[in-house]
Amino acid sequence: MIYLVRQGETDWNLLKKFNGCTDIDLNQTGIEQAKLQAENLKSIHFDKCFCSPQKRAYQTCEIIYKGEIERDERLIEINCGEFEGTEETMETLKLFWQAVMSGSKGTESFKLFLKRNCDFCDMITEQYKGKNILIVTHAANARVINYYFTGKSKEYDFTKAVVRSGGLITFEN
């Protein structure tokens, strides 16, 4: 089984700012969310744990999991370029998605972001079939991983969250 946890809340999440690659600590709510997941998952034996190396994800992971954590660069949040730290409004979200589709304004192109996350998922399915895997990452990564393991319908919307801050979703492995 694959256990995917989105990192706990940060102040920038609370303020609806683009987090991207900016290294931000969890806030108190994020710490409590991680503690709740630690309690929820305490009876699961994980064969392997992967985590984004970004501070907010790693803090979440350390609270949840006490074993060896493998930091994987493919799990870093999408680079929001010029949008980092700005407020997520309907207008800025629209402009952000336009920039991501072309890789402009300092953003990571969605095509490259999708590829690195799908490469990670390919590795999980090839090397860890039938194992219990914990993955701690970010909102955009969770969307792609969800897409990978559930299939993409014509209506799949990459702009909508699939798991809240500190939340958990699972997939058959």
PDB file of all heavy atoms in Angstrom, residues 6 76-78 96-97 110 113 117 137-146 156 158 161-162:
ATOM      1  N   ARG A   6       0.403  14.730   2.498  1.00  0.00           N
ATOM      2  CA  ARG A   6       0.775  16.093   2.120  1.00  0.00           C
ATOM      3  C   ARG A   6       1.345  16.770   3.357  1.00  0.00           C
ATOM      4  O   ARG A   6       0.831  16.614   4.453  1.00  0.00           O
ATOM      5  CB  ARG A   6      -0.453  16.864   1.627  1.00  0.00           C
ATOM      6  CG  ARG A   6      -0.130  18.301   1.262  1.00  0.00           C
ATOM      7  CD  ARG A   6      -1.367  19.032   0.775  1.00  0.00           C
ATOM      8  NE  ARG A   6      -1.113  20.457   0.687  1.00  0.00           N
ATOM      9  CZ  ARG A   6      -2.037  21.354   0.457  1.00  0.00           C
ATOM     10  NH1 ARG A   6      -3.302  20.986   0.293  1.00  0.00           N
ATOM     11  NH2 ARG A   6      -1.729  22.631   0.406  1.00  0.00           N
ATOM     12  N   ILE A  76      10.220  17.456  -4.644  1.00  0.00           N
ATOM     13  CA  ILE A  76      10.200  18.893  -4.356  1.00  0.00           C
ATOM     14  C   ILE A  76       8.983  19.512  -5.040  1.00  0.00           C
ATOM     15  O   ILE A  76       8.613  19.136  -6.156  1.00  0.00           O
ATOM     16  CB  ILE A  76      11.511  19.555  -4.837  1.00  0.00           C
ATOM     17  CG1 ILE A  76      12.671  19.122  -3.938  1.00  0.00           C
ATOM     18  CG2 ILE A  76      11.386  21.071  -4.876  1.00  0.00           C
ATOM     19  CD1 ILE A  76      14.024  19.609  -4.408  1.00  0.00           C
ATOM     20  N   GLU A  77       8.386  20.492  -4.368  1.00  0.00           N
ATOM     21  CA  GLU A  77       7.225  21.206  -4.918  1.00  0.00           C
ATOM     22  C   GLU A  77       7.615  21.898  -6.218  1.00  0.00           C
ATOM     23  O   GLU A  77       8.788  22.212  -6.444  1.00  0.00           O
ATOM     24  CB  GLU A  77       6.729  22.223  -3.886  1.00  0.00           C
ATOM     25  CG  GLU A  77       5.542  23.069  -4.311  1.00  0.00           C
ATOM     26  CD  GLU A  77       4.258  22.289  -4.550  1.00  0.00           C
ATOM     27  OE1 GLU A  77       4.139  21.669  -5.634  1.00  0.00           O
ATOM     28  OE2 GLU A  77       3.373  22.311  -3.680  1.00  0.00           O
ATOM     29  N   ILE A  78       6.629  22.154  -7.062  1.00  0.00           N
ATOM     30  CA  ILE A  78       6.864  22.846  -8.322  1.00  0.00           C
ATOM     31  C   ILE A  78       7.441  24.237  -8.054  1.00  0.00           C
ATOM     32  O   ILE A  78       7.046  24.910  -7.098  1.00  0.00           O
ATOM     33  CB  ILE A  78       5.566  22.920  -9.172  1.00  0.00           C
ATOM     34  CG1 ILE A  78       5.870  23.349 -10.604  1.00  0.00           C
ATOM     35  CG2 ILE A  78       4.511  23.804  -8.500  1.00  0.00           C
ATOM     36  CD1 ILE A  78       4.722  23.118 -11.568  1.00  0.00           C
ATOM     37  N   PHE A  96      -0.384  32.003 -13.193  1.00  0.00           N
ATOM     38  CA  PHE A  96       0.582  30.973 -12.817  1.00  0.00           C
ATOM     39  C   PHE A  96       0.464  29.763 -13.738  1.00  0.00           C
ATOM     40  O   PHE A  96       1.466  29.271 -14.260  1.00  0.00           O
ATOM     41  CB  PHE A  96       0.377  30.567 -11.351  1.00  0.00           C
ATOM     42  CG  PHE A  96       1.161  29.353 -10.956  1.00  0.00           C
ATOM     43  CD1 PHE A  96       2.535  29.417 -10.797  1.00  0.00           C
ATOM     44  CD2 PHE A  96       0.538  28.132 -10.763  1.00  0.00           C
ATOM     45  CE1 PHE A  96       3.268  28.289 -10.436  1.00  0.00           C
ATOM     46  CE2 PHE A  96       1.257  27.002 -10.409  1.00  0.00           C
ATOM     47  CZ  PHE A  96       2.623  27.088 -10.244  1.00  0.00           C
ATOM     48  N   TRP A  97      -0.751  29.269 -13.951  1.00  0.00           N
ATOM     49  CA  TRP A  97      -0.922  28.081 -14.797  1.00  0.00           C
ATOM     50  C   TRP A  97      -0.527  28.362 -16.240  1.00  0.00           C
ATOM     51  O   TRP A  97       0.027  27.484 -16.909  1.00  0.00           O
ATOM     52  CB  TRP A  97      -2.333  27.513 -14.678  1.00  0.00           C
ATOM     53  CG  TRP A  97      -2.423  26.681 -13.439  1.00  0.00           C
ATOM     54  CD1 TRP A  97      -2.981  27.022 -12.253  1.00  0.00           C
ATOM     55  CD2 TRP A  97      -1.843  25.383 -13.253  1.00  0.00           C
ATOM     56  NE1 TRP A  97      -2.791  26.017 -11.330  1.00  0.00           N
ATOM     57  CE2 TRP A  97      -2.106  24.997 -11.917  1.00  0.00           C
ATOM     58  CE3 TRP A  97      -1.131  24.515 -14.079  1.00  0.00           C
ATOM     59  CZ2 TRP A  97      -1.690  23.781 -11.389  1.00  0.00           C
ATOM     60  CZ3 TRP A  97      -0.723  23.297 -13.540  1.00  0.00           C
ATOM     61  CH2 TRP A  97      -1.004  22.945 -12.221  1.00  0.00           C
ATOM     62  N   PHE A 110       5.307  22.608 -16.491  1.00  0.00           N
ATOM     63  CA  PHE A 110       4.464  21.535 -15.993  1.00  0.00           C
ATOM     64  C   PHE A 110       4.871  20.199 -16.597  1.00  0.00           C
ATOM     65  O   PHE A 110       4.839  19.170 -15.924  1.00  0.00           O
ATOM     66  CB  PHE A 110       2.985  21.830 -16.275  1.00  0.00           C
ATOM     67  CG  PHE A 110       2.074  20.846 -15.613  1.00  0.00           C
ATOM     68  CD1 PHE A 110       1.933  20.828 -14.237  1.00  0.00           C
ATOM     69  CD2 PHE A 110       1.382  19.913 -16.359  1.00  0.00           C
ATOM     70  CE1 PHE A 110       1.115  19.907 -13.611  1.00  0.00           C
ATOM     71  CE2 PHE A 110       0.552  18.990 -15.741  1.00  0.00           C
ATOM     72  CZ  PHE A 110       0.417  18.986 -14.356  1.00  0.00           C
ATOM     73  N   PHE A 113       7.729  18.967 -14.534  1.00  0.00           N
ATOM     74  CA  PHE A 113       7.228  18.619 -13.211  1.00  0.00           C
ATOM     75  C   PHE A 113       6.487  17.283 -13.258  1.00  0.00           C
ATOM     76  O   PHE A 113       6.700  16.407 -12.421  1.00  0.00           O
ATOM     77  CB  PHE A 113       6.318  19.736 -12.691  1.00  0.00           C
ATOM     78  CG  PHE A 113       5.736  19.464 -11.338  1.00  0.00           C
ATOM     79  CD1 PHE A 113       6.531  19.549 -10.203  1.00  0.00           C
ATOM     80  CD2 PHE A 113       4.401  19.137 -11.191  1.00  0.00           C
ATOM     81  CE1 PHE A 113       5.994  19.301  -8.943  1.00  0.00           C
ATOM     82  CE2 PHE A 113       3.860  18.892  -9.944  1.00  0.00           C
ATOM     83  CZ  PHE A 113       4.657  18.973  -8.813  1.00  0.00           C
ATOM     84  N   ASN A 117       7.770  13.614 -11.381  1.00  0.00           N
ATOM     85  CA  ASN A 117       6.892  12.925 -10.443  1.00  0.00           C
ATOM     86  C   ASN A 117       6.480  11.553 -10.977  1.00  0.00           C
ATOM     87  O   ASN A 117       6.413  10.583 -10.215  1.00  0.00           O
ATOM     88  CB  ASN A 117       5.671  13.779 -10.110  1.00  0.00           C
ATOM     89  CG  ASN A 117       5.992  14.836  -9.092  1.00  0.00           C
ATOM     90  OD1 ASN A 117       5.906  14.595  -7.895  1.00  0.00           O
ATOM     91  ND2 ASN A 117       6.403  16.017  -9.559  1.00  0.00           N
ATOM     92  N   THR A 137       5.104  14.656   0.750  1.00  0.00           N
ATOM     93  CA  THR A 137       5.425  15.640  -0.270  1.00  0.00           C
ATOM     94  C   THR A 137       4.448  16.816  -0.189  1.00  0.00           C
ATOM     95  O   THR A 137       3.913  17.103   0.877  1.00  0.00           O
ATOM     96  CB  THR A 137       5.477  14.969  -1.665  1.00  0.00           C
ATOM     97  OG1 THR A 137       6.033  15.881  -2.615  1.00  0.00           O
ATOM     98  CG2 THR A 137       4.138  14.462  -2.125  1.00  0.00           C
ATOM     99  N   HIS A 138       4.185  17.462  -1.303  1.00  0.00           N
ATOM    100  CA  HIS A 138       3.468  18.734  -1.348  1.00  0.00           C
ATOM    101  C   HIS A 138       2.191  18.625  -2.186  1.00  0.00           C
ATOM    102  O   HIS A 138       1.942  17.608  -2.826  1.00  0.00           O
ATOM    103  CB  HIS A 138       4.388  19.808  -1.928  1.00  0.00           C
ATOM    104  CG  HIS A 138       5.727  19.831  -1.263  1.00  0.00           C
ATOM    105  ND1 HIS A 138       5.946  20.441  -0.060  1.00  0.00           N
ATOM    106  CD2 HIS A 138       6.916  19.270  -1.613  1.00  0.00           C
ATOM    107  CE1 HIS A 138       7.206  20.275   0.299  1.00  0.00           C
ATOM    108  NE2 HIS A 138       7.824  19.568  -0.628  1.00  0.00           N
ATOM    109  N   ALA A 139       1.432  19.709  -2.219  1.00  0.00           N
ATOM    110  CA  ALA A 139       0.120  19.717  -2.874  1.00  0.00           C
ATOM    111  C   ALA A 139       0.182  19.371  -4.363  1.00  0.00           C
ATOM    112  O   ALA A 139      -0.549  18.495  -4.831  1.00  0.00           O
ATOM    113  CB  ALA A 139      -0.563  21.067  -2.682  1.00  0.00           C
ATOM    114  N   ALA A 140       1.026  20.058  -5.112  1.00  0.00           N
ATOM    115  CA  ALA A 140       1.076  19.805  -6.559  1.00  0.00           C
ATOM    116  C   ALA A 140       1.578  18.391  -6.846  1.00  0.00           C
ATOM    117  O   ALA A 140       1.058  17.712  -7.736  1.00  0.00           O
ATOM    118  CB  ALA A 140       1.945  20.844  -7.265  1.00  0.00           C
ATOM    119  N   ASN A 141       2.564  17.930  -6.077  1.00  0.00           N
ATOM    120  CA  ASN A 141       3.067  16.569  -6.250  1.00  0.00           C
ATOM    121  C   ASN A 141       1.965  15.556  -5.954  1.00  0.00           C
ATOM    122  O   ASN A 141       1.824  14.561  -6.658  1.00  0.00           O
ATOM    123  CB  ASN A 141       4.252  16.304  -5.330  1.00  0.00           C
ATOM    124  CG  ASN A 141       5.351  17.314  -5.481  1.00  0.00           C
ATOM    125  OD1 ASN A 141       5.202  18.441  -5.000  1.00  0.00           O
ATOM    126  ND2 ASN A 141       6.437  16.957  -6.115  1.00  0.00           N
ATOM    127  N   ALA A 142       1.188  15.823  -4.907  1.00  0.00           N
ATOM    128  CA  ALA A 142       0.087  14.914  -4.557  1.00  0.00           C
ATOM    129  C   ALA A 142      -0.917  14.807  -5.701  1.00  0.00           C
ATOM    130  O   ALA A 142      -1.441  13.721  -5.970  1.00  0.00           O
ATOM    131  CB  ALA A 142      -0.602  15.383  -3.280  1.00  0.00           C
ATOM    132  N   ARG A 143      -1.161  15.909  -6.392  1.00  0.00           N
ATOM    133  CA  ARG A 143      -2.079  15.876  -7.545  1.00  0.00           C
ATOM    134  C   ARG A 143      -1.548  14.943  -8.620  1.00  0.00           C
ATOM    135  O   ARG A 143      -2.284  14.133  -9.181  1.00  0.00           O
ATOM    136  CB  ARG A 143      -2.260  17.276  -8.127  1.00  0.00           C
ATOM    137  CG  ARG A 143      -3.040  18.212  -7.251  1.00  0.00           C
ATOM    138  CD  ARG A 143      -3.148  19.587  -7.932  1.00  0.00           C
ATOM    139  NE  ARG A 143      -3.652  20.567  -7.019  1.00  0.00           N
ATOM    140  CZ  ARG A 143      -2.935  21.543  -6.476  1.00  0.00           C
ATOM    141  NH1 ARG A 143      -1.644  21.665  -6.769  1.00  0.00           N
ATOM    142  NH2 ARG A 143      -3.481  22.395  -5.660  1.00  0.00           N
ATOM    143  N   VAL A 144      -0.255  15.067  -8.926  1.00  0.00           N
ATOM    144  CA  VAL A 144       0.341  14.237  -9.979  1.00  0.00           C
ATOM    145  C   VAL A 144       0.391  12.771  -9.551  1.00  0.00           C
ATOM    146  O   VAL A 144       0.074  11.879 -10.341  1.00  0.00           O
ATOM    147  CB  VAL A 144       1.746  14.756 -10.367  1.00  0.00           C
ATOM    148  CG1 VAL A 144       2.416  13.809 -11.353  1.00  0.00           C
ATOM    149  CG2 VAL A 144       1.652  16.149 -10.958  1.00  0.00           C
ATOM    150  N   ILE A 145       0.776  12.511  -8.314  1.00  0.00           N
ATOM    151  CA  ILE A 145       0.837  11.126  -7.832  1.00  0.00           C
ATOM    152  C   ILE A 145      -0.559  10.510  -7.823  1.00  0.00           C
ATOM    153  O   ILE A 145      -0.744   9.356  -8.217  1.00  0.00           O
ATOM    154  CB  ILE A 145       1.530  11.072  -6.451  1.00  0.00           C
ATOM    155  CG1 ILE A 145       3.008  11.473  -6.616  1.00  0.00           C
ATOM    156  CG2 ILE A 145       1.400   9.688  -5.821  1.00  0.00           C
ATOM    157  CD1 ILE A 145       3.743  11.744  -5.310  1.00  0.00           C
ATOM    158  N   ASN A 146      -1.548  11.273  -7.412  1.00  0.00           N
ATOM    159  CA  ASN A 146      -2.938  10.807  -7.465  1.00  0.00           C
ATOM    160  C   ASN A 146      -3.338  10.492  -8.909  1.00  0.00           C
ATOM    161  O   ASN A 146      -3.919   9.444  -9.188  1.00  0.00           O
ATOM    162  CB  ASN A 146      -3.864  11.860  -6.870  1.00  0.00           C
ATOM    163  CG  ASN A 146      -5.306  11.431  -6.867  1.00  0.00           C
ATOM    164  OD1 ASN A 146      -5.696  10.485  -6.192  1.00  0.00           O
ATOM    165  ND2 ASN A 146      -6.114  12.132  -7.642  1.00  0.00           N
ATOM    166  N   TYR A 156      -9.919  15.692 -15.347  1.00  0.00           N
ATOM    167  CA  TYR A 156      -8.948  15.837 -14.260  1.00  0.00           C
ATOM    168  C   TYR A 156      -8.479  17.283 -14.195  1.00  0.00           C
ATOM    169  O   TYR A 156      -8.089  17.866 -15.192  1.00  0.00           O
ATOM    170  CB  TYR A 156      -7.754  14.907 -14.468  1.00  0.00           C
ATOM    171  CG  TYR A 156      -6.964  14.714 -13.195  1.00  0.00           C
ATOM    172  CD1 TYR A 156      -7.235  13.648 -12.361  1.00  0.00           C
ATOM    173  CD2 TYR A 156      -5.988  15.608 -12.822  1.00  0.00           C
ATOM    174  CE1 TYR A 156      -6.538  13.469 -11.173  1.00  0.00           C
ATOM    175  CE2 TYR A 156      -5.286  15.443 -11.638  1.00  0.00           C
ATOM    176  CZ  TYR A 156      -5.566  14.369 -10.826  1.00  0.00           C
ATOM    177  OH  TYR A 156      -4.878  14.205  -9.651  1.00  0.00           O
ATOM    178  N   PHE A 158      -5.829  19.725 -12.472  1.00  0.00           N
ATOM    179  CA  PHE A 158      -4.602  19.835 -11.692  1.00  0.00           C
ATOM    180  C   PHE A 158      -4.593  21.060 -10.788  1.00  0.00           C
ATOM    181  O   PHE A 158      -3.686  21.232  -9.994  1.00  0.00           O
ATOM    182  CB  PHE A 158      -3.376  19.867 -12.613  1.00  0.00           C
ATOM    183  CG  PHE A 158      -2.964  18.513 -13.092  1.00  0.00           C
ATOM    184  CD1 PHE A 158      -3.246  18.098 -14.377  1.00  0.00           C
ATOM    185  CD2 PHE A 158      -2.295  17.633 -12.254  1.00  0.00           C
ATOM    186  CE1 PHE A 158      -2.870  16.846 -14.819  1.00  0.00           C
ATOM    187  CE2 PHE A 158      -1.916  16.372 -12.683  1.00  0.00           C
ATOM    188  CZ  PHE A 158      -2.205  15.984 -13.969  1.00  0.00           C
ATOM    189  N   ALA A 161      -6.928  20.760  -5.170  1.00  0.00           N
ATOM    190  CA  ALA A 161      -6.221  19.907  -4.214  1.00  0.00           C
ATOM    191  C   ALA A 161      -6.902  18.542  -4.130  1.00  0.00           C
ATOM    192  O   ALA A 161      -8.123  18.443  -4.205  1.00  0.00           O
ATOM    193  CB  ALA A 161      -6.197  20.558  -2.838  1.00  0.00           C
ATOM    194  N   VAL A 162      -6.100  17.501  -3.989  1.00  0.00           N
ATOM    195  CA  VAL A 162      -6.635  16.147  -3.801  1.00  0.00           C
ATOM    196  C   VAL A 162      -6.524  15.711  -2.348  1.00  0.00           C
ATOM    197  O   VAL A 162      -7.126  14.727  -1.948  1.00  0.00           O
ATOM    198  CB  VAL A 162      -5.952  15.108  -4.731  1.00  0.00           C
ATOM    199  CG1 VAL A 162      -6.227  15.426  -6.185  1.00  0.00           C
ATOM    200  CG2 VAL A 162      -4.466  14.993  -4.458  1.00  0.00           C
TER     201      VAL A 162
END
